[in-house]
Amino acid sequence: MRQILFAGVIGMFLTVVGTPLLIKLLARKGYGQFIRDDGPRGHAGKKGTPTMGGISFILATIIAYALTKVITGSQPTFSGVLVLFLMAGMGLVGYLDDYIKIVKRRSLGLRAKAKMAGQLIVGIAFAVLALQFKDARGNAPASTKLSFVTDFGWSIGPVLFVVWALFMILAMSNGVNLTDGLDGLATGAAVMVFGAYTFIGVWQFQESCANAQTLTNPNACFEVRDPLDLAIVASALMGACFGFLWWNTSPAKIFMGDTGSLALGGALAGLAICSRTEFLIALLGGLFVLITMSVVIQVGSFKLTGKRVFRMAPLQHHFELKGWSEVLVVVRFWIIQGMCVIVGLGLFYAGWAADK
């Protein structure tokens, strides 16, 4: 368990210390945030704030994971490396989008087709590789069965699995991206979910089917390839995001940009897929789902009826326009996210206990 502690502490230290250096670098190059003209008036003062801050916690997470392995003398696992690959790959797509917006002065960034192509390439590579590298028990990092607390039902086959994995990756990435509209909102929410996955990974490791001979009830075990390493990755992400929040909270000194939001969404999807908790992520990341649905409802309502349900979508801006301060919206949304994590972990434990 030392690895989990090391990963979290190193990740947090690196972003607390390293993010100010990134802020200075980005400010010197003039990589500032564009602000929508039709957004809340209070956001006008954020124009020019350094963006692409996701670089900070992406690098911190990878370095924290690597240093933890070196310090403890343990070996990386395929599951852990694949989640980091998915995070970095999606972050690279987001970086290209941010770079074009800022440096090339093209407000929409990457063309929609190019952005989607990049996400598909990274997502497909992850999904295909996740079905390889089986361990002695025959477990690959991912399973072709659907999962909630554990796998259930019949195998959907490798082709449908790739489609399902892509849906999860795109949904979580876009969900975090839509949530990243207020100072610290997406970062703080992500910290809670990564904390939940740290707990889930530890629990799955302790109750792993690989240790069935020492368990009180072998029927309630988890068939997950590398649960402890997934907990280490989640801890590194939690620590890195927590340190980044020091600089990203209101008033933000730096924004994560698409670089960060796509990376975090990819990491969340990767952890859910590799820990066999695919449907559970919809609850653990409930705030991301709620905000995404607000956009779907807004767009659908306007196209069908010509009327808007919310004053502005995503949902956080609706409450801003109703007069809530930015900090009030963020804190209350964090409370909602915290409740989602508590309920999700409760269901995770209940699902395990039901099999005992």
Side-chain angles (χ1 to χ4, degrees):
M1 301 304 171
R2 291 183 306 154
Q3 295 183 68
I4 295 173
L5 178 61
F6 287 155
V9 171
I10 293 172
M12 183 174 65
F13 174 80
L14 289 175
T15 47
V16 168
V17 174
T19 303
L21 301 178
L22 180 62
I23 292 173
K24 291 180 181 179
L25 175 62
L26 294 173
R28 188 164 59 245
K29 290 182 174 292
Y31 291 179
Q33 178 71 37
F34 287 106
I35 301 297
R36 291 170 53 180
D37 294 331
D38 59 344
R41 293 181 181 178
H43 289 205
K46 299 181 180 184
K47 185 175 182 180
T49 301
T51 187
M52 296 196 290
I55 295 172
S56 173
F57 55 74
I58 292 172
L59 292 178
T61 299
I62 295 173
I63 294 171
Y65 178 82
L67 285 179
T68 296
K69 295 300 177 182
V70 172
I71 293 170
T72 60
S74 56
Q75 296 294 319
T77 68
F78 288 112
S79 298
V81 171
L82 279 173
V83 174
L84 293 176
F85 161 77
L86 181 58
M87 174 194 69
M90 296 298 288
L92 177 59
V93 176
Y95 172 80
L96 293 174
D97 190 46
D98 286 334
Y99 183 83
I100 292 173
K101 286 178 185 175
I102 298 166
V103 178
K104 302 298 183 181
R105 302 293 176 181
R106 196 170 78 200
S107 60
L108 295 179
L110 279 173
R111 303 295 184 189
K113 290 183 179 179
K115 189 173 183 179
M116 178 61 71
Q119 292 176 300
L120 289 176
I121 290 171
V122 175
I124 290 173
F126 167 82
V128 171
L129 290 172
L131 294 178
Q132 315 304 318
F133 312 113
K134 294 183 179 180
D135 62 10
R137 295 180 58 82
N139 290 319
S143 168
T144 56
K145 292 184 177 180
L146 300 178
S147 60
F148 182 63
V149 173
T150 58
D151 289 342
F152 66 84
W154 295 277
S155 169
I156 61 175
V159 175
L160 285 180
F161 167 77
V162 171
V163 174
W164 169 240
L166 282 174
F167 170 78
M168 288 189 61
I169 294 166
L170 294 175
M172 290 309 304
S173 296
N174 289 316
V176 178
N177 184 255
L178 291 170
T179 304
D180 182 35
L182 301 182
D183 295 354
L185 178 58
T187 309
V191 166
M192 299 182 206
V193 186
F194 290 132
Y197 270 109
T198 302
F199 171 82
I200 287 172
V202 171
W203 193 271
Q204 289 178 333
F205 173 72
Q206 293 176 339
E207 301 293 331
S208 172
C209 293
N211 305 321
Q213 293 180 348
T214 62
L215 299 178
T216 55
N217 185 3
N219 294 324
C221 63
F222 294 97
E223 282 287 6
V224 177
R225 191 191 190 284
D226 306 297
L228 183 60
D229 215 44
L230 293 176
I232 294 168
V233 171
S235 178
L237 279 160
M238 177 179 64
C241 287
F242 201 66
F244 181 74
L245 185 61
W246 182 270
W247 305 104
N248 182 234
T249 194
S250 183
K253 300 295 188 295
I254 188 170
F255 300 138
M256 68 170 69
D258 281 14
T259 305
S261 60
L262 294 187
L264 291 183
L268 289 170
L271 287 169
I273 292 168
C274 292
S275 65
R276 317 290 172 87
T277 55
E278 294 162 356
F279 283 105
L280 187 63
I281 188 61
L283 185 53
L284 291 173
L287 181 65
F288 304 127
V289 175
L290 178 65
I291 288 176
T292 302
M293 290 307 301
S294 73
V295 176
V296 173
I297 292 170
Q298 183 85 325
V299 173
S301 175
F302 187 76
K303 287 186 175 181
L304 292 174
T305 67
K307 297 180 179 179
R308 293 179 173 86
V309 176
F310 308 105
R311 294 188 180 185
M312 185 177 179
L315 188 61
Q316 62 268 32
H317 299 316
H318 167 79
F319 288 102
E320 278 192 292
L321 293 179
K322 287 191 67 175
W324 291 19
S325 69
E326 179 174 1
V327 173
L328 182 62
V329 175
V330 170
V331 172
R332 286 181 173 174
F333 275 39
W334 279 351
I335 292 172
I336 293 172
Q337 176 56 46
M339 293 170 62
C340 290
V341 167
I342 291 171
V343 174
L345 287 177
L347 288 177
F348 173 80
Y349 178 80
W352 170 80
D355 293 331
K356 288 185 69 66

